[in-house]
Amino acid sequence: MIRFEHVAKHFGNQNVLRDVSYCVPRGLVSFVLGRSGAGKSVLSKLVVGLLYSDSGSVFFDNVLINTLSEQHLHDVRMRCQYIFQHATLFDSLTVLDNVALPIRKHRGLNVRASRLLAEEQLAHLHVDDIAQQMPETLGPGQRKRVAIARAMAMQPDCLLLDEPTTGLDPVAARRVDALIREVSIREGITCMVVSHDLVSVRSIADNVAFLHEGSIAFQGKVEEFFASTTPCVRRFCGGDHTHGNR
Ligand SMILES: Nc1ncnc2c1ncn2[C@@H]1O[C@H](COP(=O)(O)OP(=O)(O)OP(=O)(O)O)[C@@H](O)[C@H]1O
Ligand SMILES: [Mg+2]
């Protein structure tokens, strides 16, 4: 569904991505791991044209992103919803209207119809109990789940999630994990998750890629990742004492 072919990206004299070739298969939960500053967020932003590569190609569903017009890029951004690390909600709107507003804007519905759909979406993703709250009253895990509900209201094929569990307490983090797994299994949504959270990886990942020194040092199934002998992967997992089963 998402494909990187020999992608390079630099900022000034820093070669963040040197030669990345990587595929995110349709309908699965694929994690991209790597140390802080490895370029994971940069990689994910290339998918929806928030950044452009210097060389190489990035495809979303076989469409080359590098040369798309703004209109076509808009279509890709609708189909592939990007959820930023600091899930941004409109502070002056209730949770319900945070979800209803983009429905109204992008799906051309009136206020009543968009609110009804937003209510359905919130119930579907188990956040309807907080529909009337203002964002400032929510915990960080709740904000994240509302951001996922809002993205799902756009009826995407794919979610790109940047560090969805970073900064959350373990209970909130696992609830976010469960929601990601649920949208993947129930709706067949392709999820590309950028993370450092090995507990999440163990509990919800199908595939794992490890970004190291500007290229993908490992790519495979989650079991293969934890069994990998690739030195940089071993070092990264070194402090991992999570041995829970899925
Ligand atoms: N717009 C930008 N301009 C200049 N440098 C940038 C820009 N975006 C990212 N970088 C640099 O690229 C490198 C990789 O950044 P990136 O945010 O992708 O890392 P990351 O792997 O997501 O790290 P973290 O785990 O801390 O989120 C960093 O050194 C960062 O400073
Ligand atoms: Mg990042």
Side-chain angles (χ1 to χ4, degrees):
M1 176 129 230
I2 298 169
R3 199 163 80 247
F4 298 86
E5 288 180 0
H6 300 296
V7 167
K9 175 72 184 170
H10 79 287
F11 294 103
N13 57 10
Q14 187 188 10
N15 292 316
V16 177
L17 305 177
R18 293 165 191 267
D19 184 4
V20 171
S21 293
Y22 170 51
C23 279
V24 175
R26 188 182 297 276
L28 299 180
V29 178
S30 297
F31 271 66
V32 177
L33 303 178
R35 306 196 85 87
S36 196
K40 305 180 296 296
S41 296
V42 168
L43 188 71
S44 63
K45 286 175 181 165
L46 295 173
V47 178
V48 287
L50 292 171
L51 289 171
Y52 288 96
S53 61
D54 303 328
S55 59
S57 308
V58 182
F59 297 91
F60 177 76
D61 214 10
N62 292 322
V63 173
L64 181 65
I65 297 300
N66 310 51
T67 54
L68 279 187
S69 65
E70 271 302 314
Q71 176 56 45
H72 286 114
L73 210 47
H74 174 79
D75 297 342
V76 169
R77 287 176 184 157
M78 284 296 110
R79 292 185 57 205
C80 185
Q81 290 280 320
Y82 194 100
I83 297 167
F84 288 88
Q85 176 166 354
H86 300 289
T88 42
L89 302 176
F90 302 112
D91 279 341
S92 58
L93 299 180
T94 61
V95 164
L96 180 69
D97 281 333
N98 260 281
V99 178
L101 184 70
I103 292 178
R104 192 149 75 237
K105 187 164 169 218
H106 297 293
R107 290 171 61 184
L109 299 174
N110 64 29
V111 173
R112 195 179 138 75
S114 63
R115 281 204 172 131
L116 273 175
L117 259 182
E119 274 169 16
E120 267 176 34
Q121 194 61 52
L122 290 170
H124 205 49
L125 298 186
H126 324 296
V127 276
D128 45 331
D129 55 326
I130 54 173
Q132 296 308 328
Q133 290 192 34
M134 300 305 286
E136 65 193 7
T137 68
L138 304 179
Q142 289 174 316
R143 293 175 79 94
K144 197 69 80 172
R145 287 186 289 129
V146 171
I148 294 174
R150 187 174 59 177
M152 288 296 295
M154 296 296 100
Q155 301 179 307
D157 305 317
C158 177
L159 295 182
L160 279 181
L161 299 118
D162 193 357
E163 307 273 0
T165 58
T166 300
L168 302 186
D169 67 62
V171 173
R174 302 297 71 84
R175 292 184 77 175
V176 169
D177 282 346
L179 196 56
I180 296 169
R181 191 75 212 162
E182 188 176 329
V183 298
S184 161
I185 289 179
R186 190 176 64 192
E187 326 255 341
I189 302 288
T190 303
C191 296
M192 175 174 163
V193 185
V194 164
S195 180
H196 312 81
D197 186 341
L198 289 173
V199 180
S200 290
V201 174
R202 282 190 188 279
S203 60
I204 65 165
D206 293 304
N207 295 315
V208 182
F210 190 76
L211 184 59
H212 180 69
E213 294 181 350
S215 61
I216 300 289
F218 170 91
Q219 187 174 177
K221 294 195 186 317
V222 64
E223 304 79 18
E224 294 163 349
F225 175 74
F226 286 107
S228 168
T229 55
T230 305
C232 58
V233 172
R234 287 265 47 85
R235 282 196 299 279
F236 185 81
C237 294
D240 173 36
H241 301 294
T242 58
H243 300 292
N245 293 320
R246 297 182 61 163

